[in-house]
Amino acid sequence: MPLIAVLPGDGIGPEVTTHARRVLEALDLGLEFQEAPIGGAAYLAAGRPLPAETLALAKKADAVLFGAIGDPRFEGLERRLRPEAALLGIRRELGLFANIRPATLFPGLEEASPLKAEVVKGLDIVIVRELTGDVYFGEKGRRTNIEGLRQGYDVMSYNEGEVDRIVRVGFEMAKRRRKKLCSVDKANVLETSQLWRDVVNEIAIEYPEVQLTHMYVDNAAMQLVRRPADFDVIVTGNLFGDILSDQASMCAGSIGMLPSASLSAWSGANGMYEPIHGSAPDIAGQGKANPCAAILSAAMLLRHSLVNEAAAKRVEAAVGAALAKGARTADLGGSLSTTEMADAVLQELV
Ligand code: IPM
Ligand code: MG
């Protein structure tokens, strides 16, 4: 019986994760669920954002269903005790180097995007973001410089092995889709990016069927609002991927629609699945959150960790069908509550 670790976390995390779990249960696949605290919730309960028991459960599980972390009450804590430390810690501990963030515009949501409908129509892109390296995990600290000024530093670096494995995920993804891969870097300024670009070009030889382009990150940010539907797969480092994936979410109507998968291997391995929206403390506990990103994350869990493509498609189709019938939470311009939206999806689950 596959074991699913459920880590609801903070803010709207618990509200949306409940419904993702309901959808998985409704499929009747004989899954076992075990819940554990993480983030600010775990700090309050156990004094640490990532308790050893939570990490052990995540490691032993076949997949992790994750809500969100982050709570302004803990912003003043030292960095290792803040909720974010739990997310970065679990990514590193589980070796989740490949973050897959699809941005798909469901038909009918064109008007929900702040961009013009004709610009976002047909949007179907995947951002493949490296997740366990880059400036996120480099040496960081504070020092006093030679002029006596306080200085903060975070080292950006990638080794060729780290670049190689994530870029291959990008090529494999593109190969299965429209066969276009855009690698995003800042090679005109950063040496880390030049190495990245060199490795991409070396691997490209093995994928002659994939059309490869390179783009500087500033240009990519511009093209994402100018002609987002032209992109197929984007592969990029941790920091650039963080920024571009939030931007891409607006092309897809609402950040409340975007799921993600964080994987330690291309398929069949354990992985962590989470909506890309954060904990949204401003709307937490009000029943306003859109559960679709969490539900679509459950679909990705079925696809990548349980290798059950049919079940994944059923869930995605149910979300599409509910939207087609007009079901909308506030972020999509509607008035349904979190539970009502999830109910609408469950009703379409055939
Ligand atoms: C994300 C988030 C995290 C990140 C934060 C919460 C640490 O923004 O998953 O995109 O920067 O990776
Ligand atoms: Mg982010």
Side-chain angles (χ1 to χ4, degrees):
M1 197 195 283
L3 173 64
I4 311 296
V6 182
L7 312 182
D10 303 323
I12 61 170
E15 297 166 53
V16 296
T17 309
T18 307
H19 298 292
R21 176 173 171 170
R22 273 175 77 208
V23 168
L24 286 175
E25 283 169 344
L27 293 167
D28 223 3
L29 298 171
L31 306 175
E32 188 195 333
F33 296 88
Q34 268 181 48
E35 210 171 294
I38 193 162
Y43 177 75
L44 286 179
R48 272 169 309 155
L50 181 57
E53 303 74 35
T54 301
L55 183 58
L57 172 65
K59 280 189 171 165
K60 139 177 124 173
D62 295 282
V64 178
L65 190 61
F66 190 94
I69 49 96
D71 185 325
R73 283 180 295 167
F74 305 118
E75 266 163 23
L77 290 177
E78 57 178 299
R79 196 166 289 285
R80 65 180 184 90
L81 294 177
R82 291 190 208 166
E84 288 75 13
L87 185 55
L88 300 179
I90 204 167
R91 285 172 179 170
R92 193 184 47 234
E93 290 292 324
L94 298 186
L96 306 174
F97 71 90
N99 187 215
I100 317 286
R101 298 190 160 184
T104 313
L105 184 81
F106 280 87
L109 292 191
E110 291 82 2
E111 297 304 327
S113 171
L115 299 179
K116 289 193 191 109
E118 76 248 29
V119 172
V120 295
K121 194 163 173 285
L123 179 89
D124 176 13
I125 64 186
V126 175
I127 297 184
V128 176
R129 168 190 175 194
E130 201 288 329
L131 205 57
T132 52
D134 201 354
V135 68
Y136 270 62
F137 291 94
E139 192 196 330
K140 59 175 79 242
R142 296 281 191 107
R143 59 189 165 206
T144 306
N145 79 0
I146 181 166
E147 294 154 30
L149 296 174
R150 286 177 306 156
Q151 190 174 41
Y153 61 94
D154 301 86
V155 175
M156 174 182 274
S157 85
Y158 268 126
N159 67 51
E160 59 181 326
E162 291 170 314
V163 180
D164 183 287
R165 63 183 183 177
I166 190 67
V167 166
R168 282 179 195 282
V169 172
F171 274 108
E172 289 296 328
M173 183 68 83
K175 199 168 117 182
R176 287 163 176 77
R177 293 172 40 97
R178 300 195 304 279
K179 302 188 171 39
K180 288 200 289 184
L181 181 66
C182 178
S183 171
V184 172
D185 63 34
K186 188 69 186 170
N188 50 346
V189 178
L190 303 174
E191 202 48 38
T192 314
S193 282
Q194 189 59 55
L195 172 82
W196 175 283
R197 196 176 274 225
D198 293 348
V199 174
V200 172
N201 285 330
E202 286 156 24
I203 299 172
I205 298 167
E206 296 173 40
Y207 292 91
E209 69 276 47
V210 175
Q211 184 202 326
L212 170 70
T213 51
H214 297 280
M215 208 179 268
Y216 297 137
V217 62
D218 48 351
N219 186 24
M222 182 176 79
Q223 301 303 339
L224 259 179
V225 290
R226 187 167 160 239
R227 47 173 190 94
D230 285 357
F231 287 99
D232 179 14
V233 180
I234 292 175
V235 66
T236 190
N238 204 344
L239 181 63
F240 300 156
D242 178 45
I243 298 165
L244 293 181
S245 58
D246 267 30
Q247 192 181 337
S249 74
M250 280 296 110
C251 307
S254 162
I255 198 164
M257 290 301 300
L258 265 70
S260 79
S262 303
L263 309 173
S264 58
W266 168 246
S267 171
N270 70 349
M272 188 163 90
Y273 301 85
E274 57 176 309
I276 87 155
H277 61 67
S279 54
D282 53 322
I283 60 161
Q286 298 172 30
K288 280 190 193 161
N290 184 349
C292 287
I295 293 172
L296 292 168
S297 299
M300 293 189 86
L301 181 157
L302 293 163
R303 171 170 297 122
H304 293 283
S305 280
L306 304 184
V307 200
N308 189 339
E309 181 66 24
K313 287 226 166 78
R314 279 176 68 195
V315 173
E316 287 161 353
V319 172
L323 291 168
K325 287 195 177 159
R328 302 274 190 281
T329 38
D331 56 310
L332 301 175
S335 60
L336 293 191
S337 70
T338 308
T339 305
E340 287 165 343
M341 187 73 198
D343 287 347
V345 173
L346 274 160
Q347 236 162 47
E348 301 297 331
L349 201 63
V350 286

